[in-house]
Amino acid sequence: MSIVLDGQPGVEHRLNVSFDRIADRYDDTRSLPGDIMEQVIDALEMLVDSRKPILDVGVGTARFARPLQARGQEIVGIDISTRMLHKARAKGTEDLMLANVCQLPFADNAFGVAMSVHVLHLIADWRRALSEIARVTTERYVSVASYREDSPAEDMRRYYEAKCEELGHAVKHPGLRERELRDLLRADLVSMVAVHEEVIDVRARIEGFEKRTYSSQWPVPEEIHRQAVEALRARYEGTEHLLERESIYLLAWKTARLKEFLKGIGVK
Ligand SMILES: C[S@@+](CC[C@H](N)C(=O)[O-])C[C@H]1O[C@@H](n2cnc3c(N)ncnc32)[C@H](O)[C@@H]1O
């Protein structure tokens, strides 16, 4: 399949959360260490293996698609962010397309497996996204989910968000996190793959918050953002390092069950 980075005619991108603004910094702020990534890709490869091609929706910089392609998997990546797709292409990723998961430009049953990683939470119409995923796949839908509930570093995010809320802006995502789908539809597979622990530099992390590194921060009004960052600096004054702990899970749902679920909630 050829690489298509031109706009998909008729696709409405304006209402979506594109990652164009963070493309240059995305890999530096979201990467996993090589050995952990290797474990995740090993497990993911077994789960996505199919006779048909694999679809990665919201492929981004091809964090997962590129290593899977390098192992010989036939994987097509779509995204609404041209700049993220260019980053993916610069790594040698093939079969990339500018497209919206809510209007996939593919025939029914074109893929065996579809995956999305940290994407559904960005999409207000996540039901439509899942319905499109179910339409184009025959076997299953897969995600890689991170759980940071017991991570001391995560308290910084909670503190920033609580401050924003106190100042009048509730930080929330428009969609549903992939892992939250488990609350609505039992997953067919839940498998813990790795625990990533890292000591982080508190000052650098606060600078990351200041630069609005995380998509949930993008809608925060400037004055509220400024005050929340100031409060974060005051709260963590004297703390140089914190432990970040992330448990990484693979999740999978059979396409047939996803279709039943969507039918049950009235999505065609
Ligand atoms: C947090 S990044 C995740 C990228 C990649 N899956 C990863 O884990 O590194 C979310 C990606 O989803 C893309 N995205 C957001 N809404 C989308 C939509 N409606 N259709 C396709 N991609 C979308 C963004 O542009 C961004 O590249």
Side-chain angles (χ1 to χ4, degrees), residues 27 43 48 79 92 140 149-150 185 217 219-221 233 237 246 264:
D27 283 342
V48 295
D79 205 290
R140 57 196 166 274
E149 276 66 10
D150 60 351
L185 175 67
Q217 297 186 277
V220 179
R233 283 218 165 86
E237 201 182 341
E246 177 183 12

Side-chain angles (χ1 to χ4, degrees), residues 13 16-20 26-27 30 56-64 78-82 84-85 99-102 115-119 121-123 129 215:
H13 294 310
N16 291 281
V17 183
S18 161
F19 271 48
D20 276 350
Y26 186 82
D27 283 342
R30 313 297 204 278
D56 185 353
V57 305
V59 62
T61 58
R63 229 163 35 112
F64 299 99
I78 66 115
D79 205 290
I80 54 164
S81 162
T82 317
M84 293 289 270
L85 288 172
N100 189 332
V101 61
C102 295
M115 55 182 275
S116 76
V117 185
H118 305 316
V119 176
H121 67 295
L122 303 167
I123 304 172
S215 61

Side-chain angles (χ1 to χ4, degrees), residues 3 38 40 61 88 101 112 115 120 123 133 140 152-153 166 179 215 231 254:
I3 301 170
E38 198 78 7
V40 175
T61 58
V101 61
M115 55 182 275
L120 276 195
I123 304 172
I133 285 171
R140 57 196 166 274
E166 217 176 282
R179 55 180 263 193
S215 61
K254 288 183 183 145

